[in-house]
């Protein structure tokens, strides 16, 4: 009985060779497209308000990104404790702030229509994820 060679066994640090496929799936692309459509439909309601000008949107966008960066940085440093956590927290916070800032300009008269639109869109997104998971398992 011979002892196994180091290349005969595979430990936790080794990984299987990668195939030539991309790491981003087509389902992920559909998720992003659906999410963008939901956001565009929600943000389209801002154009109804005459008081909202380009400068107001730019200011709210800048404030949203700034606050998101700060909260993301704090969360990344406290939760992950490292420079990678801070970087990921900043990026995630900037994206969330860039979305939340302009959405805050939606008037109270449009609230229920935007709420219905986003809830319906999110359920479509969840259904797409479930469908992709089911198709990926088979």
């Amino acid at each position: 009985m011979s002892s196994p060679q180091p290349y005969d066994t595979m430990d936790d640090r080794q990984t299987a060779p990668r195939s030539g496929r991309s790491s981003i799936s087509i389902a992920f692309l559909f998720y992003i497209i659906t999410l963008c459509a939901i956001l565009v439909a929600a943000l389209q309601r801002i154009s109804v308000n005459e008081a909202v000008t380009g400068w107001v949107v730019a200011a709210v966008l800048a404030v949203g990104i700034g606050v998101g960066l700060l909260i993301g940085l704090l969360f990344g440093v406290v939760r992950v404790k490292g420079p990678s956590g801070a970087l990921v927290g900043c990026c995630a916070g900037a994206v969330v702030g860039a979305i939340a800032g302009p959405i805050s300009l939606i008037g109270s008269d449009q609230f229920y229509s935007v709420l219905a639109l986003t809830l319906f869109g999110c359920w479509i997104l969840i259904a797409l994820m479930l469908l992709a998971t089911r198709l990926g398992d088979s």
Side-chain angles (χ1 to χ4, degrees):
M1 192 160 93
S2 67
S3 63
Q5 298 295 325
Y7 54 83
D8 288 340
T9 61
M10 194 168 170
D11 63 359
D12 291 338
R13 294 174 296 194
Q14 297 172 333
T15 58
R18 291 189 61 140
S19 64
R21 295 178 47 180
S22 172
S23 61
I24 298 176
S25 68
I26 190 75
F28 181 72
L29 179 66
F30 286 132
Y31 302 153
I32 297 298
I33 291 171
T34 305
L35 183 62
C36 289
I38 294 167
L39 291 174
V40 166
L43 293 176
Q44 185 181 12
R45 303 295 183 182
I46 295 174
S47 63
V48 174
N49 192 349
E50 300 86 26
V52 177
T53 63
W55 288 105
V56 172
V57 172
V60 169
L61 186 65
V63 169
I65 290 173
V67 171
L69 276 170
L70 180 64
I71 292 172
L73 175 68
L74 291 174
F75 185 75
V77 168
V78 170
R79 184 77 175 147
V80 181
K81 295 185 182 4
S84 63
L87 180 64
V88 170
C90 283
C91 292
V95 169
V96 170
I99 294 169
I103 285 181
S104 68
L105 292 175
I106 296 172
S108 60
D109 56 334
Q110 298 288 324
F111 177 75
Y112 290 113
S113 63
V114 170
L115 179 68
L117 184 112
T118 54
L119 283 176
F120 182 71
C122 288
W123 279 110
I124 290 174
L125 189 61
I126 290 169
L128 281 174
M129 288 179 178
L130 290 174
L131 181 64
T133 303
R134 289 287 181 192
L135 292 176
D137 289 342
S138 58

